[in-house]
Amino acid sequence: MQQRHTFNRSARTLLASLALLCSACAEQPANPAAAASPPAMAVSSQPPSQPAAAPQPQPALSFAEWRSQLRSEALAQGISAQTFDQAFAGITPDPSVLRADSSQPEFARPVWEYLAGATSPVRVRNGQAKLAQEQASLAAIHRQFGVDAAYLVAVWGMESSYGQFMGEQSVIRSLATLAYSGRRQQFARSQLLAALNILQRGDISAARMRGSWAGAMGQTQFIPTTYNSHAVDFDGDGRRDIWNSSADALASAAHYLGASGWQSGQPWGLEVRLEHNFDYALADPDNRRPLREWQHLGVQVSDVAGLPGDAQAALLLPAGYRGPAFLVFDNFRAILKYNNSTAYALAVGLLGDRLLGKAPLQAAWPLDEPMLGRSQRIALQQALSEQGYDPGPADGIIGANTRKAVRAFQQAQGWPADGYPTIKLLQQLQPAP
Ligand code: CA
């Protein structure tokens, strides 16, 4: 949902490099609260105009012809001519949206830099002020939706810096641009029709319906379909106003997290230590086991935080075996439904922890470990394929298949099999000529 990353392919890369399945990404966009916002590690270190751009599909219709077809479809779905014509008055495609849509940044930010920004002292301070300021709403929201205030405020902080940055672009114009000639036209078209529905219901005017270039809106950065399924009027003025009402925004986000399985009072995750000679191949998001079984396998938990021994958890190594290790529980999965990025979910969890005054991480990040760039990730996938592994297509996205291939290669070398791609691994795959 973060406008800066939504629809960003590199975000998916990062995501993937964190060993996530990318169910919320563009291929399956119906589920997440926002369109695939990406993370962290995939954030470009260069301005969007610099990275190599994928070729744009050439639209077969003029924009006016396309708009006319869309108008017929919208009216057939019950949108009034007045709503449609007001929303589209003066609307033309926005080239900046297409540039953002096709951007494939070469460089990614390390997860520790992303997390440092997400939990910066100013963000923690502002979040604690919001916890106090919104105390009454947060208590009522907790009673209704069962989402703990600190983590709900952490989502708010990640999405819009507590309502400060929501995106300034016309949602109708952005989505019209993407539906007309973007990379995922059908998805954008369904969001555009959902946005027209919001306008027709009168929750917000077209002029005030602002958001990210990808159509993520308001303080929660909901895409229009998520808005229609989960936005709530909590302040009782009759409108679901996630742009201007913090109570509506917080309740809407809580509604979504609650529907995604958030369990009140349970931790999202715990930092853990791993015994010497631990089998790092166990650290895979698909490998979920009861807490007590992890403890038998050599995961050292200093405080189980009231969790029962049968609480299901996965072991997460966001920067490989050299960095911090976490057991992540059901609430982590609930955060991933909001935004399917491991880095994002970690950021929400750690920011929420800081808002509650919990201790910072104990383990150090491998600061000397460079992130692979996009061309290096593609080279890695090509080299793995050439050596008989099956990393999937060489698209620069480190997904489940690439991770498994990396793991298999690491095991063949007798290395720690954490599935985390490094420069050393790439060099081992590509011996100097
Ligand atoms: Ca309201």
Side-chain angles (χ1 to χ4, degrees):
M1 328 214 210
Q2 296 168 281
Q3 65 194 28
R4 333 179 253 298
H5 313 309
T6 313
F7 280 43
N8 180 332
R9 279 178 72 84
S10 73
R12 292 161 51 196
T13 302
L14 169 44
L15 175 73
S17 75
L18 288 187
L20 290 201
L21 298 176
C22 199
S23 68
C25 294
E27 288 76 9
Q28 300 164 28
N31 189 29
S37 27
M41 319 171 193
V43 178
S44 171
S45 57
Q46 298 193 5
S49 56
Q50 290 191 18
Q56 288 294 333
Q58 282 300 312
L61 302 175
S62 72
F63 185 71
E65 290 166 337
W66 173 86
R67 185 186 56 211
S68 171
Q69 285 191 356
L70 177 76
R71 189 176 187 276
S72 299
E73 184 180 344
L75 267 53
Q77 291 188 14
I79 302 296
S80 73
Q82 186 188 17
T83 296
F84 187 94
D85 294 339
Q86 279 181 356
F88 270 82
I91 292 284
T92 56
D94 182 345
S96 74
V97 168
L98 289 181
R99 282 198 297 275
D101 187 38
S102 61
S103 162
Q104 295 184 316
E106 172 64 21
F107 298 104
R109 232 167 109 192
V111 63
W112 50 87
E113 284 184 15
Y114 171 77
L115 294 175
T119 59
S120 68
V122 66
R123 184 168 281 173
V124 172
R125 198 162 57 241
N126 289 343
Q128 287 171 335
K130 290 293 182 187
L131 267 178
Q133 196 179 316
E134 303 287 340
Q135 193 176 17
S137 292
L138 288 166
I141 288 167
H142 182 254
R143 282 194 296 276
Q144 184 163 345
F145 299 105
V147 178
D148 304 274
Y151 299 94
L152 181 57
V153 167
V155 166
W156 191 25
M158 290 301 299
E159 293 303 329
S160 60
S161 287
Y162 315 109
Q164 285 184 80
F165 302 107
M166 299 182 270
E168 289 300 320
Q169 286 169 281
S170 156
V171 168
I172 296 294
R173 187 183 186 199
S174 295
L175 290 174
T177 302
L178 295 168
Y180 172 57
S181 62
R183 288 150 59 96
R184 290 172 283 269
Q185 295 175 13
Q186 279 309 314
F187 173 65
R189 191 182 187 94
S190 68
Q191 295 304 323
L192 180 55
L193 289 164
L196 290 166
N197 257 302
I198 296 167
L199 296 177
Q200 177 130 321
R201 287 179 51 136
D203 285 303
I204 191 84
S205 68
R208 299 185 73 185
M209 184 187 255
R210 299 271 154 181
S212 76
W213 67 266
M217 313 182 299
Q219 302 187 28
T220 57
Q221 294 286 284
F222 276 1
I223 55 173
T225 50
T226 301
Y227 179 98
N228 282 331
S229 56
H230 289 89
V232 171
D233 170 28
F234 202 73
D235 63 14
D237 72 349
R239 294 182 306 112
R240 301 171 298 171
D241 189 350
I242 59 171
W243 293 266
N244 304 296
S245 164
S246 52
D248 285 8
L250 287 165
S252 298
H255 185 206
Y256 191 85
L257 285 168
S260 301
W262 184 273
Q263 304 288 315
S264 178
Q266 296 211 355
W268 61 272
L270 303 170
E271 188 185 4
V272 297
R273 293 171 60 91
L274 305 177
E275 281 176 5
H276 190 59
N277 290 333
F278 184 83
D279 179 6
Y280 296 104
L282 296 170
D284 187 287
D286 295 335
N287 179 27
R288 303 184 78 234
R289 296 163 185 269
L291 171 59
R292 71 167 70 86
E293 194 175 323
W294 284 116
Q295 292 175 295
H296 290 148
L297 287 165
V299 175
Q300 299 170 346
V301 184
S302 58
D303 175 7
V304 297
L307 281 162
D310 61 357
Q312 291 284 316
L315 181 65
L316 181 66
L317 302 173
Y321 78 99
R322 296 177 60 220
F326 303 88
L327 280 183
V328 292
F329 299 91
D330 287 345
N331 281 349
F332 191 80
R333 287 153 65 94
I335 303 169
L336 286 174
K337 287 184 181 163
Y338 205 104
N339 183 339
N340 195 10
S341 148
T342 299
Y344 173 86
L346 263 179
V348 167
L350 293 172
L351 177 57
D353 286 354
R354 301 316 312 279
L355 295 181
L356 291 173
K358 295 189 180 179
L361 295 182
Q362 300 298 302
W365 294 100
L367 302 179
D368 57 346
E369 185 74 66
M371 296 289 294
L372 295 185
R374 182 169 180 273
S375 52
Q376 289 173 314
R377 296 190 299 268
I378 290 172
L380 174 86
Q381 291 168 322
Q382 288 168 340
L384 284 166
S385 285
E386 283 162 15
Q387 300 209 17
Y389 297 94
D390 183 17
D395 55 8
I397 297 170
I398 309 293
N401 289 334
T402 304
R403 217 167 50 236
K404 283 181 170 59
V406 166
R407 226 187 266 293
F409 180 75
Q410 289 171 324
Q411 283 167 331
Q413 304 296 310
W415 292 0
D418 59 6
Y420 186 76
T422 61
I423 297 286
K424 183 187 168 197
L425 185 103
L426 179 60
Q427 288 168 344
Q428 186 77 2
L429 275 161
Q430 296 181 307

